[in-house]
Amino acid sequence: MHNFLGPFFTSGSLAAIVAAAVLVAPADAQTRSDSTQKVIKTSSTKTWIPTRTPDGQPDLQGVWTNATLTPFERPAELAGRATITEQEAREIEKRASATPADAPPKPGDPGGYNSQVWSDGGSTWLSTRQTSLVVDPTDGRVPVKPAAEAKRKYDLEHVADSYEYHSTWERCITRGVPAGMFPAGYNNAYQILQSPGYVVILSEMIHEMRLIPIDGRPHLPQNVRQWNGDSRGHWEGNTLVVDTTNYNDKGVIATSAATGRIKGIHQSEALHVVERFQRVDADTISYEVTISDPEIYSAPWRVAMPLTRDSSYKIYEYACHEGNLAMGDILRGGREKEKAEAAGK
Amino acid sequence: MKIFRSALGLAAAALWAAPMFWLGAPGAFAQTAGIQPVSKPIPRTPGGKPDFSGFFDVQYTPNMAMGKEDAIPYTPSGKAAYLNHDAKDDPTSNCWLPGVPRIMQSPYPAQFVQTPDSLVILFEYMHTFRSIPLNGRPHPKDMEPAFMGDSTGHWEGDEIVVDTVGLKGPPWTWLDTAGHQHSDNLHVIERFRRTPDNIEYQYTVDDSKMYAQPWTLKRVYTPLKLTPALPELIEYSCSENNRDIPHLVTTKPGLEQK
């Protein structure tokens, strides 16, 4: 299946959730004082004795999903609140499931995905009840520097000028690391495998794989640069820590519309990503990622979310380039627009 | 036309009720095993199964005829499809997934990852993967054809046998770079056998629309040493700056380049 329009899809359901969140009653003072970090820790301090692979690694293997209604950054309406209440979460889920039919496309608009055709962006709030996937800084907002925001804005205004203004996902190059772990509107599944010396992550979207050595070898030399950098893993107790460096400076930190204003923020060669995977019970991995890139952000920031085991999930073949006509059409549309404007002068 | 058979080939042929044509190396698995020192064991997993894990050169096979074009048991339409193919239409130019068996014969290395439940092969070529269950589950009924089809594997003694159907027909995938064609009726049977030093890989093309009989190749995947200062699988970014397609020229004589 081909999902090219996905990255362009502005999630109607997300807008509905934010609207719903505005309508729910303010939380009590106790909830306000909770730090999201504490909420995340709560789920990871349960006594869980991990099963082990034959070579002794804590076992992370299986098919995991992370589709969620929880927004990437904290909406303004939830400012000052690290969590919502259980009741609020149920209310938002109820409203999301009752989202009315999408309006038909306007004349001249070719349309895109909608809730009637297909989307699979999750129907539940995260079990942690955190108000954003971004948990550090504590306001749930990514500390993007103004110049990086301006660069993103420029790109968005020029998508009809060159493929280079599109994200790496739209170009079918890669969803990115860690962008490939951030929830999107569909295909939110990952298969983790372990064999002696390696952890492997297969991603449904865009049919990508990561081969992560855990044998203690050093990072690649600084002159070797890749879109997805160079990942090295090691175990700290029962937590898999994956350190990624050696990025090229052509990628973006997030590729899905579900990441809102962070989609399309560029990355520099100084990007440093540290992910932590800890299985906290049979069906849950606590996933955290800390992102540092001093050229782009005024401080490191952190995303945390559970990954949920779903053994019944069937990972389909995501064929990014099949029937991939949108890029050419967007650029041709840009040229037609220029012609029309020139003719009108 | 030279046809090679082996005990294994005959056994396999019985499954398909058709004689088995061998192209390429005539040696059957058993003969190759005979030249190995008896004392050297094959690698095994803690569970006792042969261990296919590792970093391998998947033997580059751009032309599955391997110099024996006349030995390919074409049907008339299969022959015509091959003679009429045009190299400028190679589907992989579009960065489409190469299909099975083409992915198994690329010039780039692969990492084999084996678990008790599955054999997963990560390919540098196209930066992609195959995840093959080893529980012998049936193919889905009425599946949507896919570039890589549906693969299901099972153990036969020390060999992993993988059966693949549900592959797209033309123009999405070709059998090989040389342009041998297949239909959406393609059925691929692969056998992986671990020797002390290598993986012996045998694959059979069963496509009655294009080929009158199943035909089989055998290749050897040899372990690679890690290149210092490089990863196992270097990032293959097919779409990056992919400007080839408008510049490809026809290989069919008498046709103007479009």
Side-chain angles (χ1 to χ4, degrees):
Chain A
M1 72 196 68
H2 171 63
N3 300 312
F4 185 81
L5 282 175
F8 294 103
F9 169 58
T10 305
S11 168
S13 57
L14 186 62
I17 288 133
V18 173
V22 180
L23 297 174
V24 298
D28 59 55
Q30 182 58 48
T31 310
R32 283 173 189 274
S33 68
D34 279 346
S35 80
T36 305
Q37 182 153 7
K38 217 187 273 177
V39 174
I40 301 297
K41 290 276 184 212
T42 307
S43 64
S44 61
T45 48
K46 286 178 192 165
T47 307
W48 162 254
I49 311 294
T51 54
R52 290 188 177 265
T53 62
D55 62 313
Q57 300 179 49
D59 195 344
L60 300 175
Q61 296 182 105
V63 174
W64 306 86
T65 62
N66 64 351
T68 182
L69 292 175
T70 307
F72 190 74
E73 288 194 292
R74 189 172 308 160
E77 295 78 13
L78 291 170
R81 297 185 57 192
T83 58
I84 57 174
T85 65
E86 193 70 36
Q87 190 188 342
E88 288 171 324
R90 296 297 88 80
E91 185 64 23
I92 292 168
E93 289 163 3
K94 200 174 150 191
R95 284 167 191 270
S97 69
T99 301
D102 299 289
K106 294 171 193 160
D109 178 354
Y113 290 156
N114 58 35
S115 56
Q116 272 65 54
V117 177
W118 186 53
S119 71
D120 189 17
S123 56
T124 55
W125 202 267
L126 286 185
S127 56
T128 56
R129 288 186 281 109
Q130 65 199 74
T131 48
S132 53
L133 303 184
V134 176
V135 295
D136 183 18
T138 51
D139 67 357
R141 307 282 292 175
V142 180
V144 188
K145 286 184 172 178
E149 279 198 300
K151 170 84 173 100
R152 171 186 187 270
K153 184 166 178 282
Y154 183 90
D155 287 356
L156 283 175
E157 289 167 354
H158 291 81
V159 288
D161 291 350
S162 167
Y163 56 85
E164 291 190 327
Y165 295 120
H166 293 256
S167 89
T168 51
W169 179 17
E170 286 139 18
R171 297 170 65 187
C172 293
I173 288 176
T174 178
R175 266 207 79 204
V177 172
M181 298 299 293
F182 296 159
Y186 38 77
N187 295 148
N188 293 292
Y190 316 88
Q191 185 182 1
I192 300 179
L193 298 131
Q194 290 163 273
S195 87
Y198 299 97
V199 174
V200 173
I201 303 175
L202 309 180
S203 297
E204 180 168 29
M205 192 153 65
I206 50 177
H207 205 71
E208 292 187 273
M209 51 81 174
R210 293 174 70 187
L211 176 65
I212 304 167
I214 53 166
D215 54 7
R217 73 176 79 159
H219 273 297
L220 297 175
Q222 287 292 298
N223 61 333
V224 181
R225 299 272 163 184
Q226 304 192 100
W227 290 96
N228 284 334
D230 174 57
S231 292
R232 296 284 180 268
H234 68 275
W235 288 97
E236 290 181 5
N238 290 332
T239 302
L240 173 69
V241 181
V242 180
D243 187 289
T244 306
T245 59
N246 293 59
Y247 289 93
N248 67 32
D249 62 358
K250 297 182 282 187
V252 293
I253 198 68
T255 43
S256 167
T259 50
R261 72 181 183 115
I262 305 307
K263 180 201 162 187
I265 294 286
H266 277 257
Q267 61 198 38
S268 81
E269 289 195 344
L271 174 62
H272 180 203
V273 170
V274 180
E275 298 163 283
R276 301 175 73 86
F277 299 76
Q278 185 191 358
R279 193 161 182 178
V280 293
D281 61 45
D283 295 324
T284 313
I285 289 174
S286 167
Y287 174 79
E288 290 187 15
V289 55
T290 301
I291 293 158
S292 312
D293 195 345
E295 283 184 35
I296 310 294
Y297 311 106
S298 57
W301 52 287
R302 187 163 56 95
V303 163
M305 70 188 108
L307 309 178
T308 304
R309 198 159 71 105
D310 186 351
S311 302
S312 67
Y313 193 101
K314 159 85 175 143
I315 292 182
Y316 280 91
E317 178 182 83
Y318 188 106
C320 194
H321 272 298
E322 182 179 10
N324 183 8
L325 305 174
M327 182 70 77
D329 287 346
I330 289 166
L331 300 178
R332 273 188 291 277
R335 303 296 75 72
E336 289 301 318
K337 193 178 171 200
E338 283 169 357
K339 274 188 221 164
E341 283 168 359
K345 273 176 191 171
Chain B
M1 184 160 70
K2 201 169 181 182
I3 300 168
F4 301 103
R5 297 190 190 210
S6 69
L8 185 67
L10 288 169
L15 290 173
W16 309 315
M20 189 165 180
F21 285 72
W22 283 92
L23 277 90
F29 282 179
Q31 292 166 355
T32 311
I35 62 170
Q36 301 294 343
V38 177
S39 58
K40 190 172 178 184
I42 65 171
R44 288 188 183 269
T45 66
K49 292 291 189 187
D51 188 357
F52 293 86
S53 299
F55 180 43
F56 289 92
D57 170 32
V58 294
Q59 194 173 8
Y60 182 40
T61 311
N63 186 338
M64 289 172 66
M66 294 199 295
K68 297 176 184 166
E69 179 59 34
D70 289 345
I72 294 182
Y74 289 114
T75 60
S77 59
K79 181 80 173 177
Y82 176 60
L83 292 178
N84 288 326
H85 90 275
D86 190 338
K88 83 168 174 54
D89 297 329
D90 188 332
T92 58
S93 304
N94 300 286
C95 301
W96 296 336
L97 293 172
V100 179
R102 191 167 176 185
I103 189 76
M104 302 303 295
Q105 48 197 19
S106 86
Y108 309 102
Q111 181 83 28
F112 282 60
V113 178
Q114 184 179 340
T115 73
D117 306 323
S118 58
L119 176 66
V120 174
I121 311 172
L122 312 178
F123 299 93
E124 180 166 301
Y125 182 43
M126 296 292 182
H127 195 64
T128 195
F129 63 87
R130 291 177 74 188
S131 182
I132 304 164
L134 296 178
N135 60 1
R137 64 147 174 77
H139 292 295
K141 283 177 187 162
D142 194 27
M143 70 173 279
E144 179 74 18
F147 284 86
M148 305 295 280
D150 179 74
S151 294
T152 180
H154 67 276
W155 288 96
E156 284 185 10
D158 275 355
E159 289 178 20
I160 292 176
V161 181
V162 180
D163 194 282
T164 302
V165 296
L167 293 148
K168 283 177 180 273
W172 302 101
T173 47
W174 289 357
L175 283 183
D176 61 14
T177 309
H180 291 101
Q181 303 290 304
H182 68 81
S183 75
D184 58 2
N185 199 39
L186 175 63
H187 168 214
V188 180
I189 305 101
E190 299 164 280
R191 303 183 79 95
F192 297 83
R193 182 174 181 273
R194 193 73 169 94
T195 67
D197 297 315
N198 301 308
I199 293 173
E200 288 180 357
Y201 174 63
Q202 173 189 310
Y203 55 123
T204 297
V205 172
D206 175 18
D207 182 351
S208 57
K209 288 186 188 170
M210 295 288 189
Y211 304 100
Q213 304 185 56
W215 51 291
T216 298
L217 298 185
K218 194 182 83 174
R219 310 300 277 156
V220 176
Y221 293 175
T222 49
L224 290 169
K225 283 192 178 140
L226 196 56
T227 306
L230 284 179
E232 282 86 345
L233 306 175
I234 300 173
E235 197 169 66
Y236 183 104
S237 186
C238 187
S239 316
E240 183 177 7
N241 202 22
N242 180 14
R243 295 165 189 254
D244 284 351
I245 294 170
H247 306 292
L248 299 175
V249 295
T250 184
T251 54
K252 297 178 75 174
L255 287 184
E256 292 295 321
Q257 185 195 350
K258 280 184 188 172

